[in-house]
Amino acid sequence: TTGRSSAAADVYNSKAYGHFITVNHRDSYNLFACAGILFNHESRRRGKEFVTRKITDAVARSKLGTQKELRMGNLDAKRDWGFAGDYVRAMWMMLQQDRADDYVVATGETHSVRKFLEIAFAHVGLNYEDYVVIDPEFIRPAEVELLLGNPAKAQAQLGWKPAVSFEQLVTMMVDADLDRQMGSEQADDSHCTTWLQRYRTIVLFHYNEPTSDGQVYSHFGARGTYFVCRCDGEMSGGRDVGDEARLDLAFGRFALDYGPGVGTEMFFRVK
């Protein structure tokens, strides 16, 4: 087994374990615990090691003349890509139900990597075919050709549906990378924080940042573990939320996500 495939297996095994241990604890201990199976969720905060951000970063650099080619693998692989802000809103809605349950959160649409490239480059007036080079190094030996989620249950029971379309997601990410390349690091976060302003009791923390003042950290889709907390009162005191064991249950409701992408997210509510 190669290091890459072994690591992937570890991730999938841990997500499967996370799902079933959530269900087990809900059934055994009467916890308000929901398992969310979230398909690929992206935002301007996505890490460059993911193909979506690799593309949008390259588009910005190509537009500004600092990059001449983008080396890619399989362009025909299809994914169900959605906006991370919409998916975290779904997390919040799960926690507002009278009965804990499990939900698939997805757009119900699938798009190819090629389509992502086409929209991203066209947004800045370029043709992706002039820049993309197929490199065998990026061809996965065991590619999953199609990922498509069915959000019917979440739509019917939660009343949830994505507000950001695939095209809006792609152009949002391209615009953010253009801002970064042009030196505007403080790009507008309104698309990430609008739902937080609406549901003011929800606070999002990135895994390696202190939570000394209850400030909102809108790292949707950022690499690593993040928490969504519903606080009964104002947070005070420094806390490293990277240490899950130290997360104070007195905050009320919280969610734990083992990382962006397709996986199991666990949401708990203390009664």
Side-chain angles (χ1 to χ4, degrees), residues 6-271:
S6 176
D10 289 343
V11 170
Y12 296 137
N13 288 338
S14 68
K15 289 180 175 181
Y17 175 81
H19 174 83
F20 287 109
I21 200 67
T22 300
V23 175
N24 177 268
H25 278 66
R26 179 175 67 220
D27 295 342
S28 300
Y29 303 107
N30 196 32
L31 285 177
F32 192 103
C34 304
I37 301 173
L38 276 59
F39 277 66
N40 299 65
H41 38 296
E42 316 290 323
S43 83
R44 60 182 297 274
R45 303 284 187 179
R46 191 53 133 166
K48 293 181 183 179
E49 67 273 25
F50 293 90
V51 68
T52 49
R53 180 71 196 289
K54 175 183 176 179
I55 292 171
T56 59
D57 178 70
V59 167
R61 294 175 186 274
S62 298
K63 179 62 176 179
L64 298 175
T66 60
Q67 183 167 332
K68 300 302 182 182
E69 68 175 31
L70 170 60
R71 307 189 79 82
M72 298 288 295
N74 180 13
L75 303 188
D76 296 319
K78 293 183 177 180
R79 296 292 181 266
D80 186 333
W81 281 300
F83 173 51
D86 285 335
Y87 286 42
V88 180
R89 177 165 50 86
M91 298 179 193
W92 183 87
M93 296 175 79
M94 292 180 202
L95 298 181
Q96 312 313 307
Q97 305 307 301
D98 294 331
R99 175 180 172 273
D101 206 344
D102 306 325
Y103 300 89
V104 171
V105 182
T107 68
E109 299 179 359
T110 188
H111 302 275
S112 66
V113 175
R114 189 184 306 276
K115 188 64 176 178
F116 196 108
L117 285 163
E118 180 184 324
I119 294 172
F121 275 93
H123 184 57
V124 297
L126 301 177
N127 185 339
Y128 81 93
E129 294 178 328
D130 296 332
Y131 295 88
V132 172
V133 176
I134 302 301
D135 187 338
E137 174 68 21
F138 296 107
I139 301 292
R140 292 178 175 178
E143 177 69 272
V144 178
E145 292 291 339
L146 174 67
L147 285 176
L148 177 62
N150 182 357
K153 180 178 177 180
Q155 292 174 348
Q157 295 187 16
L158 303 179
W160 175 87
K161 63 179 181 179
V164 177
S165 70
F166 175 67
E167 290 77 10
Q168 289 172 322
L169 173 63
V170 175
T171 57
M172 172 198 303
M173 294 177 67
V174 171
D175 288 341
D177 274 312
L178 280 170
D179 287 340
R180 290 188 185 95
Q181 293 302 317
M182 296 173 68
S184 302
E185 284 292 342
Q186 301 300 319
D188 181 18
D189 276 346
S190 61
H191 54 273
C192 287
T193 58
T194 297
W195 73 272
L196 286 169
Q197 294 164 357
R198 181 176 180 184
Y199 306 111
R200 288 177 295 175
T201 54
I202 300 296
V203 186
L204 176 69
F205 303 100
H206 192 250
Y207 79 113
N208 62 357
E209 296 183 350
T211 62
S212 58
D213 56 4
Q215 181 180 353
V216 171
Y217 293 89
S218 56
H219 288 261
F220 301 125
R223 192 177 179 190
T225 301
Y226 56 79
F227 298 88
V228 180
C229 304
R230 175 165 178 160
C231 306
D232 293 327
E234 186 173 337
M235 299 187 71
S236 61
R239 183 182 304 277
D240 179 4
V241 296
D243 183 356
E244 301 95 316
R246 303 170 78 185
L247 188 65
D248 189 353
L249 295 183
F251 288 151
R253 309 177 184 191
F254 68 91
L256 171 60
D257 180 354
Y258 284 105
V262 178
T264 297
E265 330 296 333
M266 294 182 290
F267 312 106
F268 300 87
R269 184 174 75 189
V270 178
K271 293 189 176 181

